């Protein structure tokens, strides 16, 4: 890691993190047949599609421009965040003002651009596809099937780390040691700085889905990243790995070695909605947190004979 990252001094000039990349080009095979004709990202969790939760996290984190990387059959994502004149007119004429407000908010809340990943060549490749739209700026990456609700967004926490240090940061959380083979795992050393304390670690290793006995820790990558534009050069030098895909983890290894990279044990709870069981857990727990549905749903669950 560079000398800059070992210093407690704030960098003289660090660009504001204004943009976020949301990879949404996957085929969603783990959710078949539900995803045969609709994107996984548009599957509802309680009362809105997964990708809307992620976009709302971006907005709450101060992101001004969201870049969604799509693929074939994903046009409903674009429609969801676009204006809907016919629907708005219908709601207005029927006096459904609350519903109209909700619909208009979705299309008004942030600038959204789209670019296509023509082949499913991995998460790293999906991020690289967004290079021209991101430009020479730091940016966030959020995985659409990881939901992290709360008043202190994980992305905002990472942005604070980046803007204070000038070094990229990724969100991590503890997982049971016997489950490390399901996640990307980081190894590092505590590097307390400013308000971040021992939640901040200098990354020395990144290993994709290691066996428990080979894992450098039990800190897993959680699907939230804030990265400098240098990651694009690292991605262009990254050779295809497992399945012929370009892995973001491999590019981050290069970045960590050449410029430094933080792991940040973020404050919050994540829900992995990327498989059916995780999706069900996210639905139940977020329903319980819902202001309107939480109490009656909790009462319903209490009366179940399990």
């Amino acid at each position: 890691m560079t000398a800059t990252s070992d210093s407690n001094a704030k960098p003289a000039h660090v660009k504001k993190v204004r943009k976020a990349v949301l990879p949404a080009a996957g085929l969603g095979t783990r959710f078949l047949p539900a995803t045969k004709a609709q994107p996984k990202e548009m599957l509802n969790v309680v009362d809105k599609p997964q990708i809307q939760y992620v976009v709302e996290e971006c907005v709450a984190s101060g992101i001004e421009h969201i870049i969604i990387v799509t693929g074939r059959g994903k046009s409903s994502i674009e429609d969801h965040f676009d204006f809907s004149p016919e629907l708005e007119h219908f709601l207005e004429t029927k006096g459904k003002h609350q519903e109209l407000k909700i619909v208009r908010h979705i299309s008004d809340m942030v600038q959204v651009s789209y670019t296509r990943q023509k082949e499913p060549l991995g998460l790293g490749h999906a991020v690289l596809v967004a290079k021209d739209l991101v430009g020479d700026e730091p940016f966030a990456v959020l995985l659409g099937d990881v939901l992290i609700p709360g008043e202190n967004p994980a992305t905002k926490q990472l942005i604070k780390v980046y803007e204070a240090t000038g070094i990229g940061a990724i969100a991590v959380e503890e997982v049971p040691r016997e489950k490390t083979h399901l996640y990307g795992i980081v190894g590092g050393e505590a590097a307390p700085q400013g308000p971040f304390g021992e939640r901040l670690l200098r990354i020395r290793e990144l290993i994709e889905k290691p066996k428990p006995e080979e894992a450098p820790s039990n800190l897993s990558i959680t699907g939230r990243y804030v990265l400098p534009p240098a990651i694009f050069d690292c991605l262009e030098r990254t050779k295809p790995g497992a399945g012929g895909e370009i892995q973001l983890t491999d590019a981050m290894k290069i970045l960590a070695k050449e410029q430094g990279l933080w792991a940040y044990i973020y404050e919050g709870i994540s829900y992995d909605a990327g498989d059916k069981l995780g999706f069900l857990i996210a639905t139940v727990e977020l329903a319980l947190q819902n202001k309107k549905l939480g109490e009656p749903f909790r009462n319903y669950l209490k009366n179940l004979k399990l």
Side-chain angles (χ1 to χ4, degrees):
M1 186 168 284
T2 62
T4 302
S5 65
D6 290 328
S7 169
N8 288 321
K10 184 176 180 178
H13 178 70
V14 175
K15 289 184 178 180
K16 180 182 178 183
V17 180
R18 303 184 311 112
K19 297 180 179 180
V21 174
L22 276 58
L27 298 176
T29 53
R30 287 184 291 175
F31 273 91
L32 286 171
T35 50
K36 181 176 182 291
Q38 68 173 325
K40 177 186 67 175
E41 296 80 9
M42 290 300 294
L43 294 178
N44 251 33
V45 175
V46 187
D47 58 355
K48 55 192 172 187
Q50 293 182 43
I51 197 167
Q52 185 174 330
Y53 285 93
V54 181
V55 168
E56 288 174 349
E57 181 183 331
C58 288
V59 174
S61 301
I63 295 296
E64 301 169 6
H65 183 183
I66 292 173
I67 299 151
I68 301 180
V69 182
T70 65
R72 289 180 59 83
K74 302 279 187 169
S75 59
S76 62
I77 296 175
E78 298 185 30
D79 292 341
H80 183 70
F81 293 106
D82 199 359
F83 288 108
S84 181
E86 298 85 356
L87 176 59
E88 291 182 18
H89 176 72
F90 173 81
L91 294 173
E92 192 166 20
T93 56
K94 295 296 183 181
K96 295 182 178 292
H97 302 297
Q98 184 59 33
E99 291 84 353
L100 178 61
K101 182 180 178 181
I102 292 170
V103 168
R104 284 183 173 166
H105 172 70
I106 293 170
S107 55
D108 286 339
M109 61 180 165
V110 70
Q111 178 186 354
V112 184
S113 298
Y114 300 90
T115 186
R116 278 201 173 194
Q117 184 186 27
K118 296 180 180 178
E119 297 180 77
L121 296 178
L123 175 58
H125 181 263
V127 173
L128 186 57
V129 165
K131 177 182 177 181
D132 289 344
L133 286 172
V134 172
D136 188 27
E137 298 186 39
F139 64 103
V141 177
L142 296 88
L143 301 189
D145 55 7
V146 177
L147 310 183
I148 310 179
E151 297 182 359
N152 185 20
T155 299
K156 187 175 184 178
Q157 294 176 48
L158 295 180
I159 289 173
K160 287 181 178 179
V161 172
Y162 177 81
E163 293 184 347
T165 66
I167 300 295
I170 64 177
V172 298
E173 63 182 334
E174 292 186 352
V175 296
R177 173 69 69 166
E178 64 271 16
K179 292 187 177 181
T180 58
H181 66 286
L182 300 174
Y183 305 94
I185 301 294
V186 304
E189 57 193 33
Q193 287 204 24
F196 311 116
E198 294 186 358
R199 289 181 175 273
L200 198 63
L201 296 91
R202 295 185 184 92
I203 291 179
R204 300 304 188 196
E205 293 181 86
L206 294 104
I207 303 177
E208 190 66 29
K209 300 179 179 179
K211 296 177 181 178
E213 62 272 17
E214 298 173 356
S217 76
N218 68 332
L219 292 174
S220 72
I221 301 171
T222 312
R224 298 292 186 270
Y225 317 75
V226 170
L227 301 168
I231 192 65
F232 292 121
D233 176 66
C234 298
L235 284 165
E236 287 169 344
R237 289 185 281 141
T238 298
K239 296 179 180 179
E245 297 184 345
I246 297 174
Q247 302 294 341
L248 182 59
T249 300
D250 292 338
M252 291 193 300
K253 289 180 185 178
I254 299 172
L255 182 68
K257 182 178 180 181
E258 296 181 353
Q259 293 197 6
L261 187 63
W262 299 118
Y264 186 67
I265 304 171
Y266 74 98
E267 298 178 25
I269 299 174
S270 69
Y271 298 97
D272 180 3
D275 63 66
K276 292 176 182 178
L277 179 58
F279 180 86
L280 291 173
I281 293 171
T283 299
V284 170
E285 297 205 11
L286 291 178
L288 290 170
Q289 297 173 30
N290 187 283
K291 291 180 180 180
K292 291 184 178 180
L293 300 173
E295 192 58 34
F297 186 50
R298 182 174 287 102
N299 291 335
Y300 164 75
L301 292 176
K302 286 179 180 178
N303 292 323
L304 285 178
K305 295 180 180 180
L306 299 177

